[in-house]
Amino acid sequence: MATKLLSCYPWTTSPFIVAAPMRVMSGPALALAVSGAGGLGFIGPGIQTQNTHVDLEETLTLIRKQQIQPSSLNSHTSSSLLPVGVGFQLWGDDIEIATAAIQKFKPCAAWIREASPQTQIWIQIGTLKEAKQLLLISEKPDVIVVQGAESGGHGRSEDGMGIMSLFPEVADAMETSQIPLLAAGGIADGRGVSAALCLGASGVAMGSRFLASKEARISKGYQDEIVRATDGASTTKRTLLYNHLRGTFGWPAGYSPRTIINKSFVEHQGGTPFEKLKERHDEASKLGDAGWGPEGRLATYAGASVGLIHGVPAAETIVQGIRKDALQRIKSLGSVGL
Amino acid sequence: MATKLLSCYPWTTSPFIVAAPMRVMSGPALALAVSGAGGLGFIGPGIQTQNTHVDLEETLTLIRKQQIQPSSLNSHTSSSLLPVGVGFQLWGDDIEIATAAIQKFKPCAAWIREASPQTQIWIQIGTLKEAKQLLLISEKPDVIVVQGAESGGHGRSEDGMGIMSLFPEVADAMETSQIPLLAAGGIADGRGVSAALCLGASGVAMGSRFLASKEARISKGYQDEIVRATDGASTTKRTLLYNHLRGTFGWPAGYSPRTIINKSFVEHQGGTPFEKLKERHDEASKLGDAGWGPEGRLATYAGASVGLIHGVPAAETIVQGIRKDALQRIKSLGSVGL
């Protein structure tokens, strides 16, 4: 299955490493850098729901022009498919406009249905129930991303579970489907990638690790927090508070993002009314980078793997370093164990 | 580090597989079967806090007599160390009596301090903070078990985290200590074991997997539930409810067990008063095996890995099968990846 996946995206190298589509932060520079390093980069949903299409058109045009495309990808774009994927929120984005953009630009992968026939359809799930529902639909996705509770991006609030148990149980349920499964959530280095492969994953998707990359479209204050934070278990929480402080409502019930907590969360726990928190949040948003940090108030979405992230290298360095470490670990264990 | 560990327990084989000390359920038969298969079996704390020592004395005497000891262990018991470990709850057990038993019987490992000098001291932790505290004490443990939020046994309630993120972060913090780390929580097959080794673990401790073994001291109704339950993310919860229904109080704040939920939990969520639930629970406890199951009311402690457990083999079959699968996975990944 892992081999099948690599052949669908012929510029990729084993183990298959994906940069997840993160809203705003995953722009064309990050997506192309990851694909250029033998991974698969995704472009995240746009800056605001109402103008996703503008952002997406501009972004895909930029990539089509190949002004910033690494030369290593040139040989693979003759098929007219873009060597990056595009992420959508099915509940929030304008599907007609998104579909039009997909048809026009033909990215290699998208989290959406009814697009260009060559574009592969990826679906992310976070529970066994969601996985089983995919077995019942007639038009199967090409790739399923299994997201553990460790993840930063929006995931299951109450019935999420660590990827160590979740992934193998989903894999058993999906076995007959022959759909490649990727593991996501809590993975940020070669240890996590090699562990995911052992669990049966055909590859991994990482978010937080790429937030701390040179190419991420992210404020320095936010990025500094990703690097600074340790002890992901106690310094990150799943909460809708920061969505609401930013005016984001509408995620379906049962989903929430993981966030590095700061004063907004602490005061919320202490009983400060939302209106007061909102005022202080909006004030903090005028401070620039000082709005983040333990004394800050701004949303700092990140996964539980933040304690494994210690610097801001180029995305290419991240992909190549993690791939090398994962392969070395497996090789080294194999030589001891046998 | 893994090699160091294997040499401390010379009958063990790589990968190092431990049957965790489960209260009541881990008796001498299970512990010896696991050690006899090249793993390390632990005896759990006794039936009730007040008579732990009676149970422990009887149990260790039984093992000392070697009436039930597999012949493969005979060559390793000349050192007078028992080839099994003993688990204690430091908050609940009588430390003086426990220490006396440890000094008399010399198990190879114990979750306790100040015992026989040859007995290795194991400590289980569930957070980075707990790990860092161990770095500050003068008398370091010999082995640290890092327990992820997927675990069944009592673990961290609020600040627990999936082992995929927790383990590597703890490992980085403990690196200079040179203490072998085991991974626990959510692991029940060769996929989990090989994944844990990739994360850097020197071995794994499993609980739930051994509850569904022929040698576990467990009611059939309880064991049937472990085998029946699927979707560990939604059918198991961390809750103190069942402890309280059983009259168990006193666990330090911040710890709770994971349990397969049944009518007690559902009605608790629905607002039924505790006294009513307790009455119904006590009635159900007279029903024998029918007290467990989705319509039952009795405590069914288990980890999130229940969906990976499909039968009740001998503990030896479990240990050998999981070891073989883990090694094959790593070998097979190594041959593809390189």
Side-chain angles (χ1 to χ4, degrees):
Chain A
M1 219 89 88
T3 315
K4 177 178 159 187
L5 198 55
L6 294 169
S7 69
C8 288
Y9 307 98
W11 64 91
T12 60
T13 314
S14 176
F16 189 71
I17 292 176
V18 173
M22 294 176 288
R23 194 160 189 81
V24 188
M25 293 85 86
S26 302
L30 177 57
L32 279 167
V34 170
S35 290
L40 171 52
F42 270 78
I43 293 161
I47 289 168
Q48 295 200 344
T49 302
Q50 50 270 40
N51 67 5
T52 291
H53 57 290
V54 175
D55 193 51
L56 181 61
E57 278 260 355
E58 281 171 7
T59 300
L60 294 180
T61 303
L62 199 65
I63 293 176
R64 170 68 67 80
K65 284 184 184 163
Q66 303 188 13
Q67 289 170 335
I68 52 173
Q69 182 167 306
S71 58
S72 61
L73 289 177
N74 282 339
S75 61
H76 298 294
T77 48
S78 55
S79 67
S80 83
L81 277 185
L82 288 182
V84 297
V86 179
F88 293 96
Q89 293 174 341
L90 287 180
W91 64 268
D93 289 326
D94 185 317
I95 296 301
E96 283 187 31
I97 292 167
T99 304
I102 292 280
Q103 287 172 334
K104 180 170 169 188
F105 292 100
K106 300 186 177 57
C108 63
W111 251 282
I112 195 172
R113 315 206 139 265
E114 297 174 35
S116 85
Q118 303 105 306
T119 298
Q120 290 218 318
I121 305 304
W122 291 37
I123 301 276
Q124 179 170 292
I125 56 108
T127 65
L128 183 66
K129 191 176 165 193
E130 289 176 333
K132 287 184 171 174
Q133 283 166 348
L134 292 180
L135 290 176
L136 301 176
I137 57 176
S138 58
E139 201 183 335
K140 301 275 184 297
D142 298 293
V143 173
I144 296 172
V145 181
V146 183
Q147 186 197 44
E150 297 92 338
S151 71
H154 281 71
R156 302 299 303 182
S157 305
E158 294 298 327
D159 56 358
M161 181 46 66
I163 195 77
M164 184 66 89
S165 287
L166 179 67
F167 191 95
E169 192 170 4
V170 168
D172 288 342
M174 302 300 290
E175 197 180 358
T176 54
S177 76
Q178 292 287 304
I179 301 171
L181 305 180
L182 304 187
I187 300 170
D189 60 21
R191 291 176 288 191
V193 170
S194 52
L197 298 181
C198 286
L199 291 179
S202 293
V204 303
M206 294 186 286
S208 308
R209 176 58 275 191
F210 289 110
L211 285 182
S213 70
K214 287 199 199 311
E215 293 86 350
R217 288 198 300 200
I218 182 174
S219 302
K220 185 169 184 309
Y222 183 172
Q223 195 169 52
D224 285 349
E225 250 316 81
I226 304 282
V227 174
R228 184 203 61 79
T230 61
D231 193 3
S234 65
T235 64
T236 71
K237 299 285 177 209
R238 282 206 176 279
T239 172
L240 286 168
L241 174 67
Y242 293 89
N243 279 12
H244 296 168
L245 289 172
R246 291 162 53 87
T248 302
F249 295 86
W251 270 90
Y255 293 88
S256 57
R258 185 176 290 281
T259 308
I260 301 171
I261 56 175
N262 54 26
K263 289 195 86 165
S264 293
F265 185 84
V266 171
E267 292 177 4
H268 172 64
Q269 293 291 88
T272 306
F274 179 77
E275 294 66 31
K276 206 81 196 157
L277 294 175
K278 170 77 175 151
E279 268 174 41
R280 294 172 185 168
H281 168 273
D282 293 350
E283 278 304 308
S285 70
K286 298 172 189 160
L287 298 176
D289 293 330
W292 285 277
E295 299 301 308
R297 296 180 173 277
L298 303 183
T300 320
Y301 303 122
S305 64
V306 285
L308 306 175
I309 298 169
H310 307 296
V312 185
E316 181 186 18
T317 309
I318 293 173
V319 173
Q320 291 177 348
I322 288 180
R323 182 190 300 134
K324 189 177 167 191
D325 183 51
L327 292 173
Q328 277 178 348
R329 271 173 190 279
I330 287 167
K331 187 182 176 187
S332 145
L333 283 168
S335 66
V336 170
L338 297 169
Chain B
M1 218 90 88
T3 315
K4 178 177 158 189
L5 198 57
L6 293 170
S7 69
C8 287
Y9 308 98
W11 64 90
T12 59
T13 314
S14 175
F16 189 71
I17 292 176
V18 173
M22 294 176 286
R23 194 160 188 81
V24 188
M25 293 84 87
S26 302
L30 177 58
L32 280 166
V34 170
S35 290
L40 171 52
F42 270 79
I43 293 160
I47 288 168
Q48 295 199 345
T49 302
Q50 50 270 41
N51 68 3
T52 291
H53 56 290
V54 175
D55 192 51
L56 181 62
E57 277 262 354
E58 281 171 7
T59 300
L60 294 180
T61 303
L62 199 65
I63 293 176
R64 169 71 66 80
K65 284 183 184 163
Q66 303 187 13
Q67 291 171 334
I68 53 173
Q69 183 167 303
S71 58
S72 60
L73 289 178
N74 282 339
S75 61
H76 298 292
T77 49
S78 56
S79 67
S80 83
L81 277 186
L82 288 183
V84 298
V86 179
F88 293 96
Q89 292 173 340
L90 288 179
W91 65 268
D93 291 326
D94 185 317
I95 295 301
E96 284 187 31
I97 293 167
T99 304
I102 292 281
Q103 286 171 336
K104 181 168 170 190
F105 292 101
K106 299 186 179 56
C108 63
W111 251 281
I112 195 172
R113 317 207 138 265
E114 297 173 36
S116 85
Q118 304 106 304
T119 298
Q120 291 219 316
I121 304 302
W122 291 37
I123 300 275
Q124 179 170 292
I125 55 109
T127 64
L128 183 67
K129 191 178 167 191
E130 289 175 333
K132 287 184 171 173
Q133 283 166 348
L134 293 179
L135 290 177
L136 302 176
I137 59 177
S138 58
E139 201 183 334
K140 300 276 183 297
D142 299 293
V143 174
I144 295 173
V145 182
V146 183
Q147 187 196 44
E150 297 92 338
S151 70
H154 281 71
R156 302 299 302 182
S157 304
E158 295 297 326
D159 56 359
M161 181 46 66
I163 196 76
M164 184 66 87
S165 289
L166 179 67
F167 191 93
E169 192 169 3
V170 168
D172 288 341
M174 302 300 288
E175 197 179 359
T176 54
S177 76
Q178 292 285 306
I179 301 171
L181 306 180
L182 304 187
I187 299 170
D189 61 20
R191 290 175 288 191
V193 170
S194 52
L197 299 181
C198 284
L199 291 179
S202 293
V204 302
M206 294 186 285
S208 309
R209 176 59 275 192
F210 290 110
L211 285 182
S213 71
K214 288 199 199 312
E215 293 87 350
R217 287 197 300 201
I218 182 174
S219 302
K220 186 171 182 307
Y222 183 172
Q223 195 169 52
D224 286 349
E225 253 312 82
I226 305 281
V227 174
R228 184 202 61 77
T230 60
D231 194 4
S234 66
T235 63
T236 71
K237 299 284 177 207
R238 283 206 175 279
T239 172
L240 287 167
L241 174 67
Y242 293 89
N243 278 13
H244 296 168
L245 289 172
R246 291 162 53 87
T248 303
F249 294 87
W251 269 90
Y255 293 89
S256 58
R258 184 178 290 281
T259 309
I260 300 172
I261 56 174
N262 54 26
K263 289 195 88 164
S264 293
F265 185 83
V266 172
E267 292 177 4
H268 172 63
Q269 292 291 86
T272 306
F274 179 78
E275 295 66 32
K276 205 83 196 158
L277 294 175
K278 170 80 175 149
E279 269 175 39
R280 294 172 185 167
H281 168 272
D282 293 351
E283 278 304 307
S285 70
K286 298 171 190 160
L287 298 176
D289 293 328
W292 285 278
E295 298 301 308
R297 296 181 172 278
L298 303 183
T300 319
Y301 302 122
S305 64
V306 286
L308 306 174
I309 298 169
H310 307 296
V312 184
E316 182 186 18
T317 308
I318 293 173
V319 173
Q320 290 177 347
I322 288 180
R323 183 191 299 133
K324 189 176 165 193
D325 183 50
L327 292 174
Q328 277 178 346
R329 268 173 193 280
I330 287 167
K331 187 183 176 188
S332 144
L333 282 170
S335 65
V336 170
L338 296 169

